[in-house]
Amino acid sequence: KKEEMVEHLGTVSNKIEEDAREITEALKRGQFTAEDAILNPESVREELAQIQATLAKLEEKSSTFADFQNLFNVPSSFEYNEVEKAKGLFASKDKLWTLVHEWREQEKAW
């Protein structure tokens, strides 16, 4: 039974990493990198909010499964490198598009 649980942990952990990898790739294309999106940063920020919610769920799952790995004394614990990469890239994109939004708001006030 323990072996089945450990195998399940590995499967779910790989899925979490794959989902995080997809988020990273999504942040590298589309409106997140399009010059014309500067004219409508609110749209980008809305999509970023959705990604943030998804990332929060992945981070919560990865934390829970890391705890399970400790509980089952899994010798080589799974590292969630892709989750960390996605979080880092998200933070950069979020900061960028928040600044663009603030700039556009200031521009309206001029």
Side-chain angles (χ1 to χ4, degrees):
K1 186 78 175 167
K2 179 183 173 185
E3 293 79 21
E4 290 175 18
M5 282 300 291
V6 170
E7 185 177 330
H8 178 68
L9 286 174
T11 301
V12 174
S13 295
N14 284 326
K15 174 71 171 121
I16 291 169
E17 283 288 84
E18 182 58 35
D19 290 349
R21 193 174 300 110
E22 289 174 11
I23 289 173
T24 299
E25 290 306 311
L27 288 168
K28 293 179 181 178
R29 61 180 186 271
Q31 67 176 347
F32 301 115
T33 59
E35 288 180 37
D36 59 342
I38 289 174
L39 301 174
N40 188 13
E42 293 80 16
S43 173
V44 178
R45 293 180 74 225
E46 287 172 12
E47 195 166 336
L48 282 170
Q50 292 173 357
I51 288 176
Q52 184 176 29
T54 302
L55 257 179
K57 289 177 186 174
L58 289 178
E59 188 173 18
E60 184 179 320
K61 284 181 183 179
S62 66
S63 177
T64 299
F65 283 102
D67 289 344
F68 286 154
Q69 288 170 344
N70 289 334
L71 180 68
F72 290 118
N73 295 317
V74 177
S76 56
S77 293
F78 197 89
E79 293 187 22
Y80 296 92
N81 296 323
E82 293 298 328
V83 173
E84 293 305 314
K85 284 183 196 175
K87 285 172 37 183
L89 183 57
F90 171 83
S92 297
K93 296 289 183 172
D94 189 51
K95 183 176 181 178
L96 169 69
W97 287 102
T98 297
L99 289 171
V100 170
H101 171 74
E102 290 170 359
W103 173 263
R104 299 291 295 170
E105 291 300 308
Q106 289 298 317
E107 197 175 47
K108 290 177 188 175
W110 294 342

